[in-house]
Amino acid sequence: MNVKTKRSLLLSGLVLMAAAFAITAHASTTSEKISDLNEKKAQTENQLKTTESRLSELESSKGSLESYMSNLNTQLSELNASLSVLEEQSQAKSAEIAVTRTELEAAEADEQSQYDAMKKRIKFLYEKEDSEYLELLISSESITDLLNKVSFVSQLADYDRKMLVKLQDTKNLIVEKAAALEAEQNELNTLQAQIIDQEKSVTALVTSTSNEITQFKSQIESSQEELAAYEAKLLEQEKELEKLQFTAAAEQAASAGGFSYVVAPSEKAMASSNLDLMAAIIECEAGGESYEGKIAVGNVVMNRLNSSRYPDTLIGVLYQKYQFAPVTSGRFEIVLNRGANAACYQAAQNVFNGEVVIPYYLHFRTVIPGITGIIIGGHIFYE
């Protein structure tokens, strides 16, 4: 071996060593990024839980206040109804008092009239001259006639006294009735005043409670916005973490001389869920196959994912170089962008749920002679 050849081999070795060192250093950097991002993600998750807890407490407090507000409004309605009843009773009592006063005025007038009539009769009797009384006695035809005339005068006087007493008793009853009605009206007025005071107190409570509810609503809206921000942040961190994990897996495989990728996964692929990815590859590889054929393709993908010989992420398995033709051709991206059909989504979900028709095979292709395996539809599944 000449010097030139030795120099060339040495230079090649140094280049390979440098490349290996660069790969290792980059992988280490990616690993550190993953570790750092996991810490940030954990912080975001804690902040999210704290915000969810605070939001739950705020909504619970708001619910309690709204229930209290409902009770206050019920009290207000009851107080208003009571005021309406008392108002009607007060008006009726005022009308009764007015009627009673009219009756009292009439009774007083009757009493005065009776008293005036009695005075006139007394005056008539006692202002006569003695001769006229003598004439009254002489004109009497008999002692009986005289006694009758004297009795008439006496009965007239008794009538006047009785009528006067009766009228006075009637007036006294009316006065007592009027006093009782006025006392009842005063009681009604007192009740009205008390209920009005209660109504003012409850109204003040309604106002303060309404203000508290408004404050809680504002805090809830703020917490909801904060929660949405944390959810969005967490989603971005998960997407970024998935990218870093994919990069780390690719770097590890490349440094070990293992698998490589035909193309880097698109943003759409990186942002898609495992269910979306599985449904898309099933449609691309077995869209025209039977349900069993769709499940079989999904089983192969899952078998690779669980094998140490293949990447440990679903997106890594799908984008491994020279493995799935639809990924290489770009058809996979088209299906992923528009979304797989319902049958393929159902098959993908059932695969994730554990349905198996191909227990451990890692390969499938169109049926050709010379390959031993399980044939399902247009595919043969083999080791």
Side-chain angles (χ1 to χ4, degrees), residues 291-358:
Y291 172 76
E292 186 181 18
K294 292 179 174 64
I295 295 294
V297 168
N299 289 159
V300 169
V301 175
M302 290 300 295
N303 292 341
R304 290 191 178 194
L305 182 61
N306 295 324
S307 171
S308 61
R309 294 161 53 189
Y310 293 88
D312 57 2
T313 64
L314 182 59
I315 197 169
V317 169
L318 296 179
Y319 277 84
Q320 188 178 2
K321 191 173 183 179
Y322 306 133
Q323 297 303 309
F324 294 95
V327 176
T328 305
S329 68
R331 182 165 175 265
F332 176 76
E333 289 289 338
I334 294 174
V335 174
L336 189 62
N337 282 321
R338 66 164 166 79
N341 61 48
C344 293
Y345 264 106
Q346 186 61 58
Q349 184 62 64
N350 290 344
V351 167
F352 286 135
N353 290 341
E355 186 171 350
V356 176
V357 296
I358 300 298

Side-chain angles (χ1 to χ4, degrees), residues 12 73-74 78 94 116 128 133 143 161 174 176 207 209 216 248 268 283 293 298 306 315-316 333 335 363:
S12 298
N73 286 329
T74 300
E78 292 173 351
S94 296
D116 290 343
K128 295 295 182 180
Y133 284 107
I143 293 300
R161 281 194 300 271
I174 294 173
E176 290 175 1
T207 301
T209 304
F216 273 111
K268 172 65 178 177
E283 179 173 328
N306 295 324
I315 197 169
E333 289 289 338
V335 174
H363 304 278

Side-chain angles (χ1 to χ4, degrees), residues 86-131:
L86 288 175
E87 182 64 27
E88 292 177 358
Q89 292 178 348
S90 180
Q91 291 176 356
K93 200 63 66 178
S94 296
E96 287 186 62
I97 291 173
V99 170
T100 303
R101 285 175 178 169
T102 301
E103 292 175 351
L104 180 60
E105 291 173 359
E108 289 175 343
D110 289 343
E111 181 187 26
Q112 187 62 43
S113 177
Q114 181 65 31
Y115 182 70
D116 290 343
M118 185 180 68
K119 284 198 302 181
K120 287 180 181 180
R121 281 190 287 273
I122 292 173
K123 183 178 180 181
F124 174 78
L125 291 175
Y126 290 97
E127 287 182 354
K128 295 295 182 180
E129 296 294 336
D130 293 342
S131 58

Side-chain angles (χ1 to χ4, degrees), residues 55-322:
L55 181 59
S56 178
E57 291 175 358
L58 288 171
E59 288 176 339
S60 177
S61 299
K62 173 175 161 288
S64 298
L65 283 175
E66 287 174 340
S67 177
Y68 179 54
M69 172 73 87
S70 178
N71 291 333
L72 290 176
N73 286 329
T74 300
Q75 291 181 36
L76 273 182
S77 298
E78 292 173 351
L79 290 172
N80 286 331
S82 298
L83 278 176
S84 297
V85 171
L86 288 175
E87 182 64 27
E88 292 177 358
Q89 292 178 348
S90 180
Q91 291 176 356
K93 200 63 66 178
S94 296
E96 287 186 62
I97 291 173
V99 170
T100 303
R101 285 175 178 169
T102 301
E103 292 175 351
L104 180 60
E105 291 173 359
E108 289 175 343
D110 289 343
E111 181 187 26
Q112 187 62 43
S113 177
Q114 181 65 31
Y115 182 70
D116 290 343
M118 185 180 68
K119 284 198 302 181
K120 287 180 181 180
R121 281 190 287 273
I122 292 173
K123 183 178 180 181
F124 174 78
L125 291 175
Y126 290 97
E127 287 182 354
K128 295 295 182 180
E129 296 294 336
D130 293 342
S131 58
E132 291 181 353
Y133 284 107
L134 182 58
E135 290 177 1
L136 179 63
L137 293 174
I138 293 173
S139 62
S140 300
E141 297 179 355
S142 63
I143 293 300
T144 301
D145 185 30
L146 175 61
L147 291 175
N148 287 337
K149 289 180 180 180
V150 172
S151 176
F152 171 75
V153 172
S154 177
Q155 289 175 1
L156 186 61
D158 288 340
Y159 169 77
D160 285 334
R161 281 194 300 271
K162 289 178 181 179
M163 286 299 296
L164 187 59
V165 170
K166 181 179 180 180
L167 289 171
Q168 287 176 342
D169 289 343
T170 301
K171 187 184 75 172
N172 290 337
L173 289 174
I174 294 173
V175 169
E176 290 175 1
K177 179 181 178 182
L181 289 173
E182 287 177 354
E184 290 175 2
Q185 188 175 47
N186 288 336
E187 290 179 3
L188 290 174
N189 291 339
T190 300
L191 286 174
Q192 281 181 306
Q194 291 174 350
I195 291 178
I196 288 172
D197 289 340
Q198 291 177 12
E199 188 178 38
K200 289 180 180 178
S201 298
V202 174
T203 300
L205 287 174
V206 167
T207 301
S208 62
T209 304
S210 177
N211 291 336
E212 288 185 60
I213 290 175
T214 300
Q215 292 176 1
F216 273 111
K217 285 181 177 178
S218 177
Q219 293 175 11
I220 286 172
E221 289 176 0
S222 177
S223 295
Q224 287 174 335
E225 292 174 358
E226 186 177 351
L227 185 64
Y230 283 133
E231 287 174 344
K233 182 178 180 181
L234 186 61
L235 182 61
E236 289 299 320
Q237 288 174 336
E238 288 174 346
K239 290 179 181 178
E240 183 63 24
L241 185 60
E242 189 174 356
K243 291 180 182 178
L244 288 173
Q245 289 172 339
F246 178 83
T247 301
E251 291 169 351
Q252 182 182 3
S255 64
F259 62 85
S260 58
Y261 298 93
V262 60
V263 289
S266 66
E267 289 291 327
K268 172 65 178 177
M270 297 299 294
S272 298
S273 69
N274 284 341
L275 182 62
D276 292 328
L277 295 170
M278 180 66 82
I281 197 63
I282 288 175
E283 179 173 328
C284 289
E285 295 286 9
E289 296 291 335
S290 65
Y291 172 76
E292 186 181 18
K294 292 179 174 64
I295 295 294
V297 168
N299 289 159
V300 169
V301 175
M302 290 300 295
N303 292 341
R304 290 191 178 194
L305 182 61
N306 295 324
S307 171
S308 61
R309 294 161 53 189
Y310 293 88
D312 57 2
T313 64
L314 182 59
I315 197 169
V317 169
L318 296 179
Y319 277 84
Q320 188 178 2
K321 191 173 183 179
Y322 306 133

